[in-house]
Amino acid sequence: MDYSRDDIDGLLNDKFRDVAQAEGVYDGPNEDAKKFYNLVEEASQELYPGCTRFSKLSFTLSLYLLKCLHGWSNKSFTSLLELLKEAMPELNIPPSYNKTKSMVKNLDLDYEKIDACPNGCMLFRNDHKDDEFCHTCGALRYIKSPEADSELEPSKKQHRVLAKTLRHFPLIPRLKRLFMCSKTADSLRWHDEERSKDGKLRHPADGLAWKDFDRLHPDFALDCRNVRLGLSSDGFNPFRTMSISHSTWPVMLTVYNLPP
Ligand SMILES: [Zn+2]
């Protein structure tokens, strides 16, 4: 968990290398390039005059990581920032949780929230993004409040409680990032170029399912840079008490191209 200045510079380079290169060719910064320059600007700002250990960006990210790991509320995070600033006015940190979040968002570590049917039949998006009930089972999208919905003003409608939410971590930007970093880009070819092929089982690539897949999809198998993903899921109770019924079901994709 070491966010030194160099690590952050490396991260920025990995994320925005293509943008920085394209910048020499095109006129005027595009949206991604603007984010890049903002982040570079924040990464180069000292945390306080003379500080070499942390930049504004690396310190804010470290603090945000602690918030996520230990479940601090958004309000408590803002209070902590305010206290730090009051005690050490020269400290160069964002004033609130919201400002911190928009900083993190620029690193593309964000997720999308999609409303879902409480029984898991459908997602309320695209053509169905304004629908109020599930098209398969008829379940309501929002938890019913005592007052009738028609009595709510339009501004209050946005604050109704959702029955179920899907948090989606978009896959494509994450796959892109694997190819932006030269080390991981090399490792993605490991299963074909560096794995020892002596017939012993050590990696999914040694298994029959993998070979069977290659036989069925020769076009896909032809390029070893094509990414093979394993999908796994399990439910757990994020609040560590089994007595409440809330549970979370992460669905995780694992890249099988990589070395064990
Ligand atoms: Zn349903």
Side-chain angles (χ1 to χ4, degrees):
M1 224 187 286
D2 183 19
Y3 275 127
S4 73
R5 190 171 274 236
D6 286 350
D7 291 336
I8 295 296
D9 287 347
L11 179 69
L12 289 179
N13 275 326
D14 281 342
K15 165 143 176 52
F16 291 104
R17 184 183 299 141
D18 54 340
V19 179
Q21 282 165 356
E23 210 39 42
V25 186
Y26 300 108
D27 289 337
N30 59 27
E31 272 311 300
D32 274 351
K34 270 184 212 155
K35 285 181 192 169
F36 172 64
Y37 289 127
N38 283 341
L39 284 169
V40 168
E41 219 261 310
E42 263 152 6
S44 63
Q45 283 178 27
E46 291 175 326
L47 178 62
Y48 54 83
C51 177
T52 51
R53 180 84 183 83
F54 285 101
S55 68
K56 177 187 180 186
L57 182 65
S58 67
F59 182 77
T60 309
L61 282 179
S62 308
L63 213 55
Y64 186 74
L65 180 66
L66 290 179
K67 174 201 180 297
C68 298
L69 285 175
H70 302 296
W72 304 346
S73 69
N74 301 349
K75 240 180 163 171
S76 77
F77 192 75
T78 299
S79 300
L80 176 68
L81 291 174
E82 285 168 357
L83 178 68
L84 286 171
K85 190 77 186 165
E86 200 183 328
M88 291 166 277
E90 71 279 16
L91 217 54
N92 190 4
I93 49 173
S96 65
Y97 166 73
N98 285 339
K99 285 272 185 283
T100 307
K101 196 156 180 233
S102 62
M103 216 159 143
V104 174
K105 216 175 173 163
N106 285 341
L107 284 167
D108 242 0
L109 301 173
D110 213 27
Y111 56 84
E112 282 170 29
K113 264 181 173 176
I114 308 170
D115 303 349
C117 160
N119 299 319
C121 317
M122 65 171 281
L123 296 171
F124 295 97
R125 58 174 191 161
N126 299 338
D127 290 347
H128 299 297
K129 70 175 165 46
D130 297 321
D131 293 358
E132 299 266 326
F133 57 87
C134 172
H135 282 241
T136 307
C137 73
L140 289 169
R141 176 174 176 170
Y142 300 98
I143 290 168
K144 226 178 169 161
S145 60
E147 339 147 50
D149 277 356
S150 54
E151 286 172 25
L152 287 175
E153 300 153 27
S155 63
K156 275 191 180 164
K157 277 196 170 180
Q158 291 168 358
H159 300 294
R160 291 185 300 175
V161 179
L162 290 159
K164 196 177 201 171
T165 311
L166 173 83
R167 284 174 178 78
H168 175 233
F169 296 76
L171 177 63
I172 289 170
R174 285 161 176 86
L175 286 180
K176 278 184 180 169
R177 192 176 295 182
L178 285 175
F179 286 100
M180 278 183 202
C181 170
S182 53
K183 263 186 210 156
T184 46
D186 274 349
S187 299
L188 288 169
R189 302 198 309 273
W190 176 90
H191 69 97
D192 188 47
E193 295 176 358
E194 283 173 67
R195 178 175 60 92
S196 74
K197 294 169 187 169
D198 56 7
K200 289 185 177 135
L201 281 173
R202 296 188 194 87
H203 186 271
D206 299 315
L208 277 180
W210 189 288
K211 286 167 189 147
D212 213 37
F213 184 88
D214 283 357
R215 200 174 46 77
L216 287 170
H217 306 282
D219 288 350
F220 183 89
L222 206 60
D223 190 338
C224 66
R225 291 171 300 180
N226 283 333
V227 180
R228 296 163 193 253
L229 299 166
L231 188 145
S232 50
S233 180
D234 197 3
F236 74 105
N237 186 319
F239 304 113
R240 292 187 207 152
T241 43
M242 300 312 283
S243 55
I244 48 173
S245 60
H246 180 89
S247 70
T248 296
W249 284 78
V251 178
M252 276 177 287
L253 292 172
T254 312
V255 178
Y256 280 159
N257 295 37
L258 300 170

